[in-house]
Amino acid sequence: MPAHSRPYPFVDRLIETFAEWLKHRRDVSEMCQFDAAEFSRIAHDLGVTSTDLDELVRQGPHKVEELPQLLKALGISEEAIARTQPLVMRDLERVCALCRHKSECDHDIADGSLAEHYQAYCANKVTLDALAEELQSTPPLSARH
């Protein structure tokens, strides 16, 4: 392969990251153009507070990347929750996005100990424990009549 046509993954990732940052800056700028009433209406339509909406937009689109991994580690189907309990799923996402313990969670994901340690810091603990308990008490479809 000629030197000028070799891929440069680091440079590609850097460009992609910068493009995401620029898009995020535009999103924040657009959000700042809403008046308080319009912003409150949008927050209400989304089922969050204005403060939460402001924080969610400022944090960007990747602030719930840990949630699918946590659900998988706990043996909870993300698709099933989204289908059967969409409001619960939305609340899990909101709480995850606003979490102040991302570094602990990311560390536990990296070392494979998320299921063992999430309860020490995860604000979704109570909801996740209830979902896990619900799964344990629900008989498999083959056992139902």
Side-chain angles (χ1 to χ4, degrees), residues 70-82:
L70 177 55
L71 292 172
K72 183 177 180 182
L74 297 175
I76 299 172
S77 169
E78 179 181 4
E79 294 78 22
I81 297 171

Side-chain angles (χ1 to χ4, degrees), residues 3-4 11-12 21 24 29 41 49 52 62-63 83 85 103 105 108 110 121 123 130 135 141-142 145:
H4 68 291
V11 174
D12 291 343
W21 179 80
H24 178 68
S29 178
R41 187 191 62 74
T49 67
D52 284 352
H62 301 289
K63 282 303 190 179
R83 185 182 63 252
Q85 300 181 58
S103 61
C105 192
D108 290 343
Y121 54 80
L135 283 174
L141 288 175
S142 60
H145 299 287

Side-chain angles (χ1 to χ4, degrees), residues 21 38 65-66 115:
W21 179 80
E38 179 68 8
E65 290 178 339
E66 295 83 1

Side-chain angles (χ1 to χ4, degrees), residues 17-102:
T17 301
F18 183 66
E20 288 177 10
W21 179 80
L22 285 175
K23 182 186 178 313
H24 178 68
R25 294 279 305 195
R26 281 192 298 271
D27 292 345
V28 171
S29 178
E30 288 175 18
M31 181 188 73
C32 291
Q33 294 176 15
F34 293 126
D35 64 27
E38 179 68 8
F39 193 75
S40 291
R41 187 191 62 74
I42 292 169
H44 180 267
D45 289 350
L46 294 172
V48 297
T49 67
S50 295
T51 303
D52 284 352
L53 179 58
D54 181 58
E55 183 70 19
L56 292 169
V57 171
R58 290 183 190 285
Q59 290 197 17
H62 301 289
K63 282 303 190 179
V64 295
E65 290 178 339
E66 295 83 1
L67 182 60
Q69 295 176 65
L70 177 55
L71 292 172
K72 183 177 180 182
L74 297 175
I76 299 172
S77 169
E78 179 181 4
E79 294 78 22
I81 297 171
R83 185 182 63 252
T84 62
Q85 300 181 58
L87 296 177
V88 171
M89 189 66 202
R90 185 171 64 186
D91 190 59
L92 287 168
E93 291 170 340
R94 180 187 61 78
V95 171
C96 184
L98 297 172
C99 181
R100 302 282 187 236
H101 299 280
K102 294 292 185 180

Side-chain angles (χ1 to χ4, degrees), residues 105-118:
C105 192
D106 291 338
H107 177 269
D108 290 343
I109 289 169
D111 72 13
S113 65
L114 187 58
E116 293 83 31
H117 296 123
Y118 81 97

